[in-house]
Amino acid sequence: MNATAQPGGTMLVRYGEISLKGANRQTFEHALRRRLSEAIERAAGADAPVRVRLAHGRIYVDYDEQEDDVRERLLFALTRTFGVVSVSPARRVPLDWGALVEAAEALGRRAKSGGARTFKVEARRANKSFPKTSPEIARELGAALAARLDWPVDVRRPDAVVQVEVREWAYVYAETYPGPGGLPLGTGGRGMLLLSGGIDSPVAGWLLAKRGLEPVAVYFHSPPYTGEKALEKVRDLCRALAVWCGPLELYTVPFTEISQQIYERAPDPLGTVLMRRFMVRIAQRLGDQVGAGALITGESLGQVASQTIESIAAIADVADRPILRPLVGLDKAEIVELARRIGTYEISVRPFPDCCSVFVPRNPATRPRIDDCRRAEERLDVEALVAEAVARTARERLGPAPAGRMGQETASPAR
């Protein structure tokens, strides 16, 4: 990316939890900077005149204000990068009082035309070489704006807050947009996300991506019982998650033979639990190929028959690594709210069934015993079925959906 050292636009990017990392702080800061650079490149292009700087516990993204809609594209990308707490689009000006007043006046004029009837100024002078103190900046700049714009000051409940930070440049801004928070993607390793196409599993993947775990999606496809539209729905879910995570790998496992053999040879009540035991085994094999140290599922305690304590224990019986279930304590309304927020809900409710909803037992066991599951699997050639499914698995890499598609909201200022 081309650097720019001229007055112009700067995104002030704040991070929170990373600052508590002690001796590992630099590692997390550099990881966040790298993720931001990737997100910016996807949003603005590799040749865009954008520079990412790390200084004084903050990240600065300098850009050319004359570029068409670059501000909006950067805001969209930055507020969807894990590790970012908030972003303020600022005007970057030299350490000159006249330039600072002029920039603040332009911001104030826009805020006033947007309906802000009152305002106040807040200032922070980190660069002590600037001749005015923080209180002096706030007081004198407030007086200048009140006189130039005929704009009343209200220090208790202002409609707009014009903020000034004096560092190597002066930064003037009046809006702050929330980010997702959390930790930079990848700092927690990789995890295989068992993506069904429903509402829950994409939310589970998003929540753990927010904690730094990079998801690799695996989908179990059962044609002709589940069709091409069901697979395309899962691809769209990956594209929606990629808005937050960057390009996502999707592994599509042929699961028809396994489902049919369970349906024909195993006790009907154990059908769902046995399918999930196969899914865990296959996801682990694929995880070995991509360095995934955990599995991620959308299970929520008590939501369906396969999500009782006994069922969860029977499924985990075949696991050789942690199975992370970030939704286990959430109810459906909370999960739906999150799905709407991250842009996956409208995709998940498309009416195309997955394999778990096609091969449903008539009377599913809610308290399956592990010994019963193991005995049932003695009627199946488990190793051969798993090896065959892994060998026939297809891999693809899916990039993010364009901004504004599939339910992603545009950035809105924090209230």
Side-chain angles (χ1 to χ4, degrees), residues 262-319:
I262 292 173
Y263 184 76
E264 293 167 2
R265 300 183 184 185
D268 180 75
L270 295 178
T272 300
V273 172
L274 295 180
M275 277 198 293
R276 294 189 182 280
R277 286 165 64 95
F278 269 94
M279 291 175 180
V280 167
R281 292 183 175 103
I282 293 168
Q284 288 173 161
R285 297 281 180 91
L286 297 173
D288 289 339
Q289 298 176 11
V290 301
L295 306 185
I296 308 166
T297 75
E299 290 162 314
S300 173
L301 188 61
Q303 190 178 111
V304 295
S306 64
Q307 295 176 9
T308 63
I309 288 292
E310 291 82 358
S311 294
I312 288 173
I315 295 166
D317 175 53
V318 299

Side-chain angles (χ1 to χ4, degrees), residues 229-260:
K229 288 185 177 179
L231 176 55
E232 192 55 37
K233 172 182 169 182
V234 170
R235 289 182 175 127
D236 280 346
L237 285 172
C238 289
R239 294 182 181 107
L241 287 175
V243 170
W244 302 87
C245 303
L248 215 68
E249 294 177 10
L250 170 63
Y251 288 79
T252 300
V253 180
F255 205 63
T256 308
E257 178 65 22
I258 292 174
S259 299
Q260 286 178 329

Side-chain angles (χ1 to χ4, degrees), residues 174-259:
E175 295 173 326
T176 296
Y177 296 77
L183 297 171
L185 189 72
T187 53
R190 305 185 93 187
M192 298 301 294
L193 170 62
L194 278 65
L195 196 61
S196 69
I199 295 171
D200 301 343
S201 52
V203 176
W206 185 89
L207 282 172
L208 285 175
K210 181 182 173 184
R211 298 307 304 160
L213 189 64
E214 183 179 358
V216 178
V218 54
Y219 169 64
F220 297 89
H221 194 38
S222 295
Y225 306 103
T226 57
E228 186 63 26
K229 288 185 177 179
L231 176 55
E232 192 55 37
K233 172 182 169 182
V234 170
R235 289 182 175 127
D236 280 346
L237 285 172
C238 289
R239 294 182 181 107
L241 287 175
V243 170
W244 302 87
C245 303
L248 215 68
E249 294 177 10
L250 170 63
Y251 288 79
T252 300
V253 180
F255 205 63
T256 308
E257 178 65 22
I258 292 174
S259 299

